[in-house]
């Protein structure tokens, strides 16, 4: 079972998410919260696998809450909920370690699969939205380009190829087909990429690739 906590200040949004996710046999809606401060207490007690996190909330917004959560040992995976696909807070949330984000009007089936993907450790990288957000982030931070290039210089040629495919939003199976290697080889390369870049997050790898200008 994937334990899920919903964090959103709009009761209607929380109700909608419960209706969408509650009927799935592998998803356990463990709890919910209406703001960031309440969320910290709820998450501490329930220890969910995935947190659906709204960004704009009173008391303590989702960005601060995400940063606090992900600074702790063994944190949950955070899937950001947003109304805007180019919100600066989304960019900051991704850099803080969020594993992906969803627009609130995402179709139910895709929302369900996004929760499952994040629970598996895969990012939610929408071809039409995530690339815009990542590209926007790289365009505003030129020093980040130089830093990313130095970090990616530690990768082998094969690891760099895999990293580029990750940045395109490809799954492990898709990368294996593109590079004509086994899925096991792809997984091994991703493990080494994570170690060299000091992350366990495919979104961070994608952002480094974009920062370095490899796409």
């Amino acid at each position: 079972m994937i334990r899920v906590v919903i964090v959103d200040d709009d009761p209607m949004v929380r109700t909608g998410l419960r209706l969408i996710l509650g009927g799935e046999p592998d998803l356990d809606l463990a709890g919910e919260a209406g703001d960031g401060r309440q969320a910290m207490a709820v998450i501490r007690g329930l220890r969910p696998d995935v947190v659906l996190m709204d960004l704009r909330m009173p008391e303590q917004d989702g960005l601060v809450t995400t940063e606090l959560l992900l600074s702790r040992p063994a944190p949950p995976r955070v899937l950001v909920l947003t109304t805007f696909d180019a919100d600066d807070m989304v960019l900051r949330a991704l850099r803080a370690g969020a594993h992906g984000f969803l627009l609130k009007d995402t179709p139910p089936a895709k929302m369900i699969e996004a929760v499952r993907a994040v629970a598996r450790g895969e990012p939610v990288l929408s071809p039409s939205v995530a690339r815009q957000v990542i590209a926007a982030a790289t365009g505003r931070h030129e020093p980040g380009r130089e830093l990313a290039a130095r970090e990616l210089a530690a990768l082998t040629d094969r690891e760099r190829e895999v990293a580029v495919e990750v940045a395109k939003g490809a799954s492990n199976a898709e990368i294996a087909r593109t590079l004509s290697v086994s899925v096991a080889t792809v997984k091994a390369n991703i493990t080494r990429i994570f170690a060299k870049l000091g992350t366990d997050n495919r979104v961070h790898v994608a952002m480094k690739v974009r920062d370095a200008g490899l796409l």
Side-chain angles (χ1 to χ4, degrees):
M1 293 290 289
I2 301 170
R3 291 172 61 80
V4 181
V5 165
I6 299 168
V7 182
D8 197 294
D9 67 325
D10 187 336
M12 293 297 292
V13 171
R14 297 200 303 272
T15 298
L17 290 172
R18 285 199 305 271
L19 291 173
I20 290 171
L21 304 176
E24 298 302 309
D26 59 331
L27 302 183
D28 174 19
L29 298 185
E32 60 183 63
D35 63 60
R37 293 187 187 280
Q38 183 184 6
M40 296 298 293
V42 169
I43 292 166
R44 186 182 304 112
L46 296 177
R47 300 182 65 83
D49 302 298
V50 177
V51 176
L52 289 175
M53 181 74 71
D54 186 22
L55 287 182
R56 298 189 179 277
M57 296 182 292
E59 300 297 331
Q60 179 175 292
D61 66 35
L63 176 61
V64 171
T65 307
T66 295
E67 291 173 337
L68 290 173
L69 282 176
L70 298 182
S71 68
R72 296 182 173 186
R77 299 186 183 277
V78 175
L79 183 53
V80 169
L81 291 170
T82 179
T83 306
F84 307 103
D85 62 359
D87 192 322
D88 284 345
M89 291 183 71
V90 173
L91 303 179
R92 292 172 61 193
L94 290 175
R95 291 191 179 279
H99 293 79
F101 67 91
L102 290 175
L103 295 180
K104 289 185 179 179
D105 61 357
T106 297
K110 291 187 177 181
M111 187 172 291
I112 291 166
E113 182 49 40
V115 172
R116 290 173 176 152
V118 167
R120 293 192 300 265
E122 301 173 8
V124 177
L125 292 173
S126 164
S128 63
V129 178
R131 286 184 206 151
Q132 295 176 17
V133 172
I134 295 170
T138 62
R140 297 175 188 172
H141 301 284
E142 192 61 30
R145 179 180 293 268
E146 297 176 4
L147 175 60
R150 289 198 300 271
E151 292 178 337
L152 292 179
L155 304 183
T156 65
D157 289 343
R158 174 62 78 191
E159 290 165 357
R160 192 173 294 106
E161 289 176 337
V162 171
V164 168
E165 294 303 315
V166 167
K168 294 177 181 177
S171 67
N172 288 350
E174 290 169 338
I175 296 172
R177 288 194 295 270
T178 298
L179 301 181
S180 300
V181 297
S182 69
V183 172
T185 297
V186 173
K187 290 180 178 178
N189 276 278
I190 290 176
T191 297
R192 291 194 294 270
I193 291 167
F194 283 173
K196 290 180 179 180
L197 298 184
T199 185
D200 63 354
N201 189 318
R202 291 169 77 113
V203 173
H204 278 180
V205 174
M207 293 180 77
K208 292 295 182 184
V209 170
R210 289 276 185 175
D211 283 342
L214 297 185
L215 287 179

